[in-house]
Amino acid sequence: MSSEQHAPSAGEYITHHLQHLQKNFAFESKVQNSIVDFSLFNLDSLVFASVLGFLGVFLLWLGVRKATSGVPGRFQAAVEILFEMVDNQAKGVIDNPKSRAFVGPLALTVFVWIFLMNFMDMLPVDFLPHLWHSAGPALGFKDYLRVVPTADLSTTLGMSTFVLLLCIYYSIKIKGLGGWGHELIAAPFGDHWVLWPLNFLMQVIEFLAKTVSHGMRLFGNMYAGELVFMLIALMGGAFAMSVTGWSMAFGHVVAGTIWTLFHILVIVLQAFIFMMLTLIYIGQAHDHH
Protein backbone atom coordinates (compact mmCIF):
# COMPACT_ATOMS: atom_id res chain seq x y z
CA MET A 1 0.00 0.00 0.00
CA SER A 2 1.22 3.54 -0.69
CA SER A 3 2.24 5.94 2.06
CA GLU A 4 -0.79 8.10 1.23
CA GLN A 5 -3.11 5.23 2.15
CA HIS A 6 -1.46 4.94 5.56
CA ALA A 7 -1.38 8.66 6.30
CA PRO A 8 -4.12 10.12 8.52
CA SER A 9 -6.52 12.66 7.15
CA ALA A 10 -6.32 16.29 8.28
CA GLY A 11 -9.19 15.73 10.71
CA GLU A 12 -7.61 12.58 12.14
CA TYR A 13 -4.26 14.36 12.51
CA ILE A 14 -5.75 17.27 14.47
CA THR A 15 -8.00 15.03 16.57
CA HIS A 16 -5.02 12.88 17.55
CA HIS A 17 -2.89 15.91 18.44
CA LEU A 18 -5.67 17.43 20.55
CA GLN A 19 -6.09 14.28 22.65
CA HIS A 20 -4.42 14.33 26.07
CA LEU A 21 -2.59 11.42 27.66
CA GLN A 22 -5.29 10.72 30.22
CA LYS A 23 -5.28 8.45 33.26
CA ASN A 24 -7.75 7.72 36.02
CA PHE A 25 -6.68 7.58 39.66
CA ALA A 26 -5.93 3.88 39.33
CA PHE A 27 -3.41 4.98 36.66
CA GLU A 28 -5.35 3.24 33.92
CA SER A 29 -5.64 4.80 30.47
CA LYS A 30 -8.96 6.50 29.94
CA VAL A 31 -10.51 8.88 27.41
CA GLN A 32 -12.72 11.72 28.59
CA ASN A 33 -16.25 11.50 27.17
CA SER A 34 -17.91 14.37 28.98
CA ILE A 35 -17.15 18.07 29.32
CA VAL A 36 -16.32 17.70 33.02
CA ASP A 37 -14.87 14.48 34.40
CA PHE A 38 -13.15 14.53 37.78
CA SER A 39 -12.38 10.82 37.62
CA LEU A 40 -9.34 11.35 35.39
CA PHE A 41 -6.40 13.69 34.93
CA ASN A 42 -4.21 14.75 32.00
CA LEU A 43 -0.84 13.19 32.75
CA ASP A 44 0.99 15.06 30.00
CA SER A 45 -0.13 18.47 31.30
CA LEU A 46 0.83 17.57 34.88
CA VAL A 47 4.29 16.37 33.87
CA PHE A 48 5.14 19.28 31.60
CA ALA A 49 3.69 21.88 33.99
CA SER A 50 5.63 20.40 36.93
CA VAL A 51 8.92 20.17 35.04
CA LEU A 52 8.58 23.71 33.70
CA GLY A 53 7.60 24.98 37.14
CA PHE A 54 10.77 23.55 38.68
CA LEU A 55 12.77 24.92 35.75
CA GLY A 56 11.34 28.41 36.28
CA VAL A 57 12.12 28.37 40.01
CA PHE A 58 15.61 27.05 39.29
CA LEU A 59 16.30 29.85 36.78
CA LEU A 60 15.14 32.49 39.28
CA TRP A 61 17.25 30.91 42.03
CA LEU A 62 20.23 30.83 39.67
CA GLY A 63 19.79 34.51 38.93
CA VAL A 64 19.68 35.35 42.64
CA ARG A 65 22.60 33.09 43.53
CA LYS A 66 24.86 34.66 40.93
CA ALA A 67 23.85 38.22 41.77
CA THR A 68 26.76 40.57 42.41
CA SER A 69 27.02 44.18 43.50
CA GLY A 70 29.26 44.96 40.55
CA VAL A 71 28.39 45.17 36.88
CA PRO A 72 25.71 42.52 36.29
CA GLY A 73 25.92 39.96 33.53
CA ARG A 74 23.23 39.57 30.91
CA PHE A 75 21.33 36.89 32.80
CA GLN A 76 21.44 38.78 36.09
CA ALA A 77 20.38 41.99 34.34
CA ALA A 78 17.42 40.19 32.75
CA VAL A 79 16.32 38.76 36.10
CA GLU A 80 16.69 42.17 37.78
CA ILE A 81 14.66 43.91 35.07
CA LEU A 82 11.93 41.28 35.36
CA PHE A 83 11.92 41.49 39.16
CA GLU A 84 11.73 45.29 39.11
CA MET A 85 8.88 45.23 36.61
CA VAL A 86 6.81 42.82 38.71
CA ASP A 87 7.70 44.63 41.95
CA ASN A 88 6.56 47.98 40.54
CA GLN A 89 3.27 46.47 39.40
CA ALA A 90 2.75 44.90 42.84
CA LYS A 91 3.44 48.22 44.59
CA GLY A 92 0.90 49.95 42.38
CA VAL A 93 -1.85 47.45 43.23
CA ILE A 94 -1.18 46.24 46.80
CA ASP A 95 -0.46 48.81 49.51
CA ASN A 96 0.24 46.32 52.29
CA PRO A 97 4.05 45.66 52.46
CA LYS A 98 3.59 42.39 54.34
CA SER A 99 1.27 41.07 51.65
CA ARG A 100 3.63 42.22 48.90
CA ALA A 101 6.46 40.25 50.51
CA PHE A 102 4.60 37.08 49.45
CA VAL A 103 2.44 38.21 46.54
CA GLY A 104 5.31 39.93 44.67
CA PRO A 105 7.50 36.79 44.39
CA LEU A 106 4.34 34.77 43.69
CA ALA A 107 3.47 37.03 40.75
CA LEU A 108 7.04 36.78 39.43
CA THR A 109 6.90 32.99 39.66
CA VAL A 110 3.52 32.93 37.92
CA PHE A 111 4.82 35.08 35.07
CA VAL A 112 7.92 32.95 34.48
CA TRP A 113 6.00 29.68 34.86
CA ILE A 114 3.25 30.64 32.43
CA PHE A 115 5.77 32.02 29.95
CA LEU A 116 7.67 28.71 29.96
CA MET A 117 4.46 26.71 29.55
CA ASN A 118 3.35 29.00 26.72
CA PHE A 119 6.78 28.75 25.09
CA MET A 120 6.23 25.02 24.54
CA ASP A 121 3.92 26.10 21.74
CA MET A 122 6.98 27.41 19.87
CA LEU A 123 8.43 23.90 19.48
CA PRO A 124 7.70 22.09 16.19
CA VAL A 125 4.24 20.57 16.42
CA ASP A 126 5.35 16.98 15.79
CA PHE A 127 8.75 17.05 17.54
CA LEU A 128 7.93 15.68 20.99
CA PRO A 129 4.77 13.76 19.90
CA HIS A 130 6.88 11.98 17.25
CA LEU A 131 9.39 10.91 19.89
CA TRP A 132 6.54 9.78 22.13
CA HIS A 133 5.04 7.79 19.23
CA SER A 134 7.64 5.09 19.83
CA ALA A 135 8.56 5.66 23.46
CA GLY A 136 5.01 5.91 24.84
CA PRO A 137 3.60 2.55 23.70
CA ALA A 138 6.90 0.88 24.61
CA LEU A 139 6.40 2.13 28.18
CA GLY A 140 2.79 0.98 28.25
CA PHE A 141 1.18 4.36 27.58
CA LYS A 142 -1.20 5.49 24.86
CA ASP A 143 0.15 7.25 21.77
CA TYR A 144 -1.12 10.68 22.86
CA LEU A 145 0.89 13.70 23.97
CA ARG A 146 0.13 17.41 24.26
CA VAL A 147 3.05 19.55 25.33
CA VAL A 148 1.44 22.95 26.03
CA PRO A 149 -0.01 22.81 29.57
CA THR A 150 -1.74 26.19 29.23
CA ALA A 151 -3.72 24.85 26.26
CA ASP A 152 -5.36 22.53 28.80
CA LEU A 153 -8.38 24.04 30.56
CA SER A 154 -7.75 21.99 33.69
CA THR A 155 -4.34 23.67 34.07
CA THR A 156 -5.51 27.25 33.64
CA LEU A 157 -8.64 26.85 35.76
CA GLY A 158 -6.56 25.14 38.43
CA MET A 159 -4.28 28.17 38.56
CA SER A 160 -7.16 30.64 38.60
CA THR A 161 -8.86 28.64 41.37
CA PHE A 162 -5.68 28.91 43.44
CA VAL A 163 -5.80 32.70 42.92
CA LEU A 164 -9.42 32.65 44.14
CA LEU A 165 -8.37 30.81 47.30
CA LEU A 166 -5.65 33.41 47.87
CA CYS A 167 -8.23 36.18 47.47
CA ILE A 168 -10.43 34.56 50.09
CA TYR A 169 -7.43 34.09 52.39
CA TYR A 170 -6.38 37.73 52.18
CA SER A 171 -9.97 38.94 52.50
CA ILE A 172 -10.24 37.14 55.82
CA LYS A 173 -6.71 38.08 56.91
CA ILE A 174 -7.08 41.81 56.18
CA LYS A 175 -10.75 42.34 57.09
CA GLY A 176 -11.32 39.55 59.57
CA LEU A 177 -13.87 36.79 59.13
CA GLY A 178 -16.67 38.99 60.41
CA GLY A 179 -15.65 41.95 58.28
CA TRP A 180 -15.45 39.88 55.12
CA GLY A 181 -18.72 38.14 55.93
CA HIS A 182 -20.39 41.51 56.39
CA GLU A 183 -18.96 42.68 53.07
CA LEU A 184 -20.44 39.65 51.33
CA ILE A 185 -23.96 40.67 52.31
CA ALA A 186 -23.58 44.48 52.39
CA ALA A 187 -21.91 45.19 49.02
CA PRO A 188 -22.52 46.34 46.37
CA PHE A 189 -26.11 47.56 46.91
CA GLY A 190 -26.01 48.60 50.55
CA ASP A 191 -26.32 47.26 54.08
CA HIS A 192 -30.03 46.55 54.38
CA TRP A 193 -31.46 43.17 55.32
CA VAL A 194 -33.74 43.16 52.28
CA LEU A 195 -30.69 43.44 50.02
CA TRP A 196 -28.56 40.83 51.80
CA PRO A 197 -29.54 37.84 49.56
CA LEU A 198 -29.05 39.88 46.39
CA ASN A 199 -25.70 41.21 47.58
CA PHE A 200 -24.49 37.73 48.48
CA LEU A 201 -25.63 36.37 45.11
CA MET A 202 -23.80 39.15 43.27
CA GLN A 203 -20.64 38.53 45.28
CA VAL A 204 -20.70 34.81 44.47
CA ILE A 205 -21.29 35.54 40.77
CA GLU A 206 -18.39 38.01 40.78
CA PHE A 207 -16.00 35.50 42.34
CA LEU A 208 -17.04 32.79 39.89
CA ALA A 209 -16.91 35.09 36.87
CA LYS A 210 -13.44 36.38 37.73
CA THR A 211 -12.10 32.87 38.32
CA VAL A 212 -13.57 31.38 35.14
CA SER A 213 -12.59 34.30 32.91
CA HIS A 214 -9.10 34.35 34.45
CA GLY A 215 -8.48 30.75 33.42
CA MET A 216 -10.49 30.76 30.19
CA ARG A 217 -8.65 33.78 28.75
CA LEU A 218 -5.27 32.07 28.94
CA PHE A 219 -6.63 28.73 27.78
CA GLY A 220 -8.51 30.18 24.81
CA ASN A 221 -5.52 32.07 23.44
CA MET A 222 -3.09 29.17 23.82
CA TYR A 223 -5.54 26.60 22.47
CA ALA A 224 -6.17 28.73 19.40
CA GLY A 225 -2.44 29.25 18.88
CA GLU A 226 -1.78 25.53 19.15
CA LEU A 227 -4.51 24.78 16.63
CA VAL A 228 -3.14 27.32 14.13
CA PHE A 229 0.30 25.71 14.35
CA MET A 230 -1.31 22.34 13.58
CA LEU A 231 -3.03 23.77 10.52
CA ILE A 232 0.26 25.24 9.32
CA ALA A 233 1.95 21.88 9.88
CA LEU A 234 -0.69 20.27 7.66
CA MET A 235 0.36 22.60 4.83
CA GLY A 236 3.91 21.29 5.07
CA GLY A 237 2.66 17.74 5.34
CA ALA A 238 0.57 18.10 2.19
CA PHE A 239 3.62 19.30 0.27
CA ALA A 240 5.84 16.52 1.67
CA MET A 241 3.33 13.93 0.45
CA SER A 242 3.34 15.52 -3.02
CA VAL A 243 -0.36 16.21 -2.76
CA THR A 244 0.07 19.81 -3.85
CA GLY A 245 2.63 21.93 -5.63
CA TRP A 246 5.26 24.36 -4.40
CA SER A 247 2.64 26.93 -3.42
CA MET A 248 1.78 24.88 -0.33
CA ALA A 249 5.45 24.72 0.70
CA PHE A 250 5.78 28.48 0.24
CA GLY A 251 2.60 29.08 2.22
CA HIS A 252 3.83 26.77 4.97
CA VAL A 253 7.08 28.72 5.39
CA VAL A 254 5.49 32.16 5.16
CA ALA A 255 2.52 31.37 7.41
CA GLY A 256 4.74 29.56 9.90
CA THR A 257 7.19 32.45 10.11
CA ILE A 258 4.52 35.13 10.48
CA TRP A 259 2.52 33.19 13.06
CA THR A 260 5.65 32.30 15.07
CA LEU A 261 6.75 35.94 15.27
CA PHE A 262 3.24 37.02 16.24
CA HIS A 263 2.90 34.19 18.75
CA ILE A 264 6.06 35.30 20.57
CA LEU A 265 4.14 38.44 21.52
CA VAL A 266 1.08 36.38 22.45
CA ILE A 267 2.88 34.06 24.88
CA VAL A 268 4.55 36.99 26.66
CA LEU A 269 1.36 39.06 26.73
CA GLN A 270 -0.76 36.22 28.08
CA ALA A 271 1.75 35.54 30.86
CA PHE A 272 1.75 39.24 31.74
CA ILE A 273 -2.06 39.49 31.71
CA PHE A 274 -2.47 36.46 33.98
CA MET A 275 0.14 37.87 36.36
CA MET A 276 -1.49 41.32 36.40
CA LEU A 277 -4.96 39.90 37.03
CA THR A 278 -3.52 37.84 39.88
CA LEU A 279 -2.17 41.03 41.44
CA ILE A 280 -5.37 42.98 40.80
CA TYR A 281 -7.67 40.32 42.27
CA ILE A 282 -5.51 39.92 45.37
CA GLY A 283 -5.30 43.71 45.63
CA GLN A 284 -9.11 43.91 45.53
CA ALA A 285 -9.18 41.49 48.45
CA HIS A 286 -7.37 44.18 50.46
CA ASP A 287 -9.93 46.89 49.67
CA HIS A 288 -12.74 47.69 52.06
CA HIS A 289 -16.23 48.37 50.72
Side-chain angles (χ1 to χ4, degrees):
M1 298 177 72
S2 65
S3 59
E4 289 84 354
Q5 290 175 299
H6 287 284
S9 65
E12 291 171 338
Y13 173 86
I14 292 177
T15 300
H16 182 273
H17 277 64
L18 290 179
Q19 174 63 45
H20 284 282
L21 178 62
Q22 296 179 320
K23 296 283 185 178
N24 60 19
F25 290 95
F27 215 71
E28 300 169 337
S29 296
K30 188 177 180 181
V31 176
Q32 183 173 344
N33 296 315
S34 57
I35 297 177
V36 178
D37 190 347
F38 291 106
S39 66
L40 55 82
F41 58 92
N42 297 331
L43 180 62
D44 44 10
S45 294
L46 284 173
V47 171
F48 282 110
S50 300
V51 171
L52 293 171
F54 283 116
L55 176 61
V57 171
F58 173 74
L59 291 175
L60 292 174
W61 172 81
L62 197 63
V64 173
R65 191 177 72 89
K66 291 188 175 182
T68 62
S69 58
V71 179
R74 294 179 181 178
F75 181 66
Q76 180 184 337
V79 172
E80 289 179 355
I81 291 172
L82 184 60
F83 175 83
E84 185 177 356
M85 182 269 292
V86 176
D87 187 54
N88 289 336
Q89 297 297 333
K91 289 179 180 178
V93 176
I94 301 173
D95 295 328
N96 191 310
K98 292 183 178 180
S99 297
R100 281 203 311 270
F102 172 78
V103 177
L106 171 69
L108 177 61
T109 304
V110 165
F111 177 83
V112 173
W113 189 20
I114 293 180
F115 171 78
L116 291 175
M117 290 192 287
N118 291 351
F119 190 81
M120 295 297 289
D121 212 8
M122 306 300 292
L123 298 178
V125 171
D126 289 303
F127 176 58
L128 291 177
H130 180 72
L131 297 178
W132 184 252
H133 179 76
S134 299
L139 295 172
F141 294 94
K142 293 290 185 179
D143 185 22
Y144 297 121
L145 188 70
R146 291 184 67 181
V147 302
V148 187
T150 45
D152 180 2
L153 187 57
S154 60
T155 301
T156 58
L157 283 183
M159 297 178 72
S160 64
T161 301
F162 178 72
V163 174
L164 171 64
L165 295 177
L166 279 177
C167 291
I168 295 174
Y169 167 77
Y170 278 107
S171 294
I172 297 174
K173 180 180 179 181
I174 300 299
K175 306 165 189 175
L177 183 59
W180 182 58
H182 180 265
E183 183 179 281
L184 287 178
I185 61 175
F189 298 118
D191 186 10
H192 191 283
W193 67 269
V194 176
L195 299 174
W196 289 352
L198 182 59
N199 286 331
F200 181 75
L201 178 61
M202 292 299 295
Q203 291 279 356
V204 171
I205 292 175
E206 180 183 355
F207 277 119
L208 291 177
K210 289 194 297 187
T211 301
V212 173
S213 64
H214 197 189
M216 286 290 292
R217 182 182 292 103
L218 176 60
F219 159 75
N221 281 277
M222 298 313 302
Y223 182 89
E226 184 183 37
L227 188 58
V228 170
F229 274 123
M230 292 179 189
L231 295 174
I232 294 173
L234 284 173
M235 296 172 65
F239 168 73
M241 293 171 57
S242 301
V243 176
T244 58
W246 286 95
S247 60
M248 190 65 73
F250 179 76
H252 170 74
V253 173
V254 172
T257 301
I258 293 175
W259 185 249
T260 299
L261 294 175
F262 173 73
H263 207 58
I264 293 174
L265 298 177
V266 172
I267 64 177
V268 176
L269 182 61
Q270 289 305 313
F272 179 78
I273 290 175
F274 196 97
M275 178 205 73
M276 280 303 303
L277 288 176
T278 298
L279 289 173
I280 291 171
Y281 292 158
I282 295 177
Q284 289 176 345
H286 288 70
D287 297 336
H288 293 271
H289 297 283

